[in-house]
Amino acid sequence: MPGPYSVKFESDVPLMLRDGTMTYADVCRPDAAGKFPGLLLRTPYDKSDPASRSSTLDIIRGAQRGYAVVIQDVRGRFSSDGEFYTFKNEARDGFDSVEWVAGQSWCNGKVGMFGSSYNGATQWLAASAKPPSLGGIAA
């Protein structure tokens, strides 16, 4: 994959879940034509916190290297609508979120997930729902 790419950042992109709940994600991706693999972090810790954007993976460096990095506030946390219940909705919501990323015009249909702590649990629970576009997780 060529690079480094210049980066496009989009804040508070709406991501609707199957039950109509609106969640919001920040997207940091190459500012270039083409489709790129997606990397998804689902967090209850505030997607706009600098630690969410750089502690596990520096989202700007990821985008410069050819990945579309998506950080989503999980249901009921920070910018996202709905009620937050620890772990309750993470499998279904994770499935929906992975498939949303895969279906975006800038994604090549392959999605990985990353993160630790609760963010890591969101990956395992999403993986248990077997979203077809999920290629791997890194907890």
Side-chain angles (χ1 to χ4, degrees):
M1 207 177 281
Y5 292 96
S6 59
V7 172
K8 180 173 186 171
F9 180 81
E10 299 169 276
S11 181
D12 292 322
V13 176
L15 189 164
M16 186 179 290
L17 303 172
R18 70 180 76 182
D19 67 357
T21 300
M22 191 63 72
T23 63
Y24 292 89
D26 291 345
V27 179
C28 190
R29 61 186 174 87
D31 189 13
K35 294 179 179 254
F36 303 92
L39 294 175
L40 174 63
L41 172 73
R42 303 187 64 252
T43 186
Y45 304 127
D46 189 2
K47 66 179 175 52
S48 63
D49 186 309
S52 293
R53 296 180 178 175
S54 63
S55 65
T56 306
L57 170 75
D58 182 321
I59 66 170
I60 293 172
R61 292 179 84 179
Q64 288 174 328
R65 286 167 175 73
Y67 293 91
V69 185
V70 178
I71 301 180
Q72 175 193 28
D73 282 334
V74 298
R75 173 192 299 261
R77 299 292 290 162
F78 296 92
S79 66
S80 291
D81 297 341
E83 295 292 323
F84 177 74
Y85 299 102
T86 306
F87 305 121
K88 179 180 177 184
N89 298 299
E90 302 306 349
R92 183 184 64 224
D93 291 357
F95 180 103
D96 294 351
S97 300
V98 166
E99 294 307 309
W100 180 89
V101 172
Q104 297 305 296
S105 62
W106 36 258
C107 186
N108 68 3
K110 298 176 184 174
V111 180
M113 294 181 76
F114 67 98
S116 58
S117 188
Y118 194 96
N119 302 341
T122 69
Q123 298 175 68
W124 285 104
L125 292 164
S128 75
K130 299 183 175 143
S133 302
L134 183 61
I137 63 174

